[in-house]
Amino acid sequence: QGSAVGGGGVGQRQEEGGSTSSSQGLVVKTLAGLALVAGCVLAGMGLKGRSVESPVVSQVPKVVVVNEVKEQSRTSLTASQAEQLVTKWQATKQSALGGDHKIHLMNSCLAEPMLSEWKVRAQDAKERGWYWQYELLALKINNVEVDQRGDQKAVIDVTLQESARLMHRQYLSTNDAYRSTYRVRYDAVKVGSDWKLSGGTIIKG
């Protein structure tokens, strides 16, 4: 029966002078069939009614990247960075208040008002001939709180253990010495791309 429609029917139309319209009819039917098959395949893949040119999946990485950037911004001062900053300050304190009186080094890790306060102490000791011999024995970061309103300020809770001896240039030794473990809450502020300490309070008890 299919052969009669596909062969004999076409021959009849050709004899009647309708060969062109017959060919167009076959093309239309063929295209319609292909469209139907394509629709079934897309439906089977779950893509029916979805634009292939702009898949939803391509938008996912952009959202993830934005979230990662915001998360990094909220935690811009990590515990590791805080430990490095406090350790740097302790080393700088040894140099600034030590026998060499390298007071200018405080600019690298301190901000106001803490910078001015410690410069005054160091300068006063230098003029009187006194200096300290500091030794950092232990350091532990207890907590780091970053200001959520702009992540430019933070509070560093740290426990320190140090020993120190007060010396004078005219005397070989003095009795002013201590070894102590204490807890400090440092205020930190971001200056440019660097974090610096701007204040500190010893926590008693």
Side-chain angles (χ1 to χ4, degrees):
Q1 184 176 0
S3 176
V5 175
V10 173
Q12 252 183 340
R13 292 191 181 91
Q14 288 176 345
E15 292 174 357
E16 295 172 357
S19 59
T20 301
S21 59
S22 175
S23 299
Q24 292 177 348
L26 282 175
V27 171
V28 171
K29 288 182 179 181
T30 302
L31 291 177
L34 290 175
L36 179 61
V37 172
C40 293
V41 172
L42 291 175
M45 296 174 62
L47 299 176
K48 185 176 181 181
R50 179 178 297 174
S51 173
V52 180
E53 296 179 357
S54 57
V56 176
V57 179
S58 63
Q59 300 176 3
V60 175
K62 295 181 181 179
V63 176
V64 174
V65 171
V66 171
N67 289 340
E68 288 179 351
V69 171
K70 289 183 178 179
E71 187 64 26
Q72 291 174 358
S73 177
R74 288 197 298 267
T75 59
S76 56
L77 180 63
T78 64
S80 177
Q81 292 172 326
E83 181 179 358
Q84 293 176 11
L85 177 58
V86 176
T87 300
K88 182 178 181 180
W89 158 234
Q90 295 299 317
T92 301
K93 184 173 68 173
Q94 295 174 20
S95 298
L97 277 77
D100 294 333
H101 298 286
K102 296 180 179 179
I103 302 175
H104 65 280
L105 295 178
M106 292 184 179
N107 295 320
S108 65
C109 57
L110 297 185
E112 298 297 348
M114 188 173 176
L115 177 60
S116 294
E117 294 171 356
W118 278 92
K119 277 188 173 181
V120 169
R121 296 179 189 178
Q123 188 62 38
D124 183 65
K126 180 180 179 180
E127 292 174 359
R128 294 173 181 271
W130 295 98
Y131 63 94
W132 287 92
Q133 291 181 334
Y134 285 101
E135 183 180 1
L136 179 63
L137 303 176
L139 185 155
K140 177 185 177 184
I141 300 296
N142 302 316
N143 188 37
V144 178
E145 297 178 5
V146 179
D147 190 344
Q148 299 297 318
R149 293 171 295 182
D151 74 5
Q152 299 297 308
K153 296 181 179 180
V155 176
I156 304 172
D157 188 326
V158 58
T159 299
L160 298 168
Q161 183 181 23
E162 70 177 5
S163 65
R165 179 178 294 275
L166 181 62
M167 308 292 291
H168 195 278
R169 296 192 180 280
Q170 296 181 355
Y171 306 99
L172 295 178
S173 62
T174 66
N175 292 326
D176 292 328
Y178 70 85
R179 180 189 178 106
S180 176
T181 299
Y182 58 97
R183 185 179 171 188
V184 186
R185 286 178 65 88
Y186 286 114
D187 295 322
V189 60
K190 199 167 187 180
V191 181
S193 59
D194 300 323
W195 283 93
K196 297 185 178 183
L197 301 179
S198 59
T201 304
I202 296 178
I203 302 174
K204 298 179 179 181

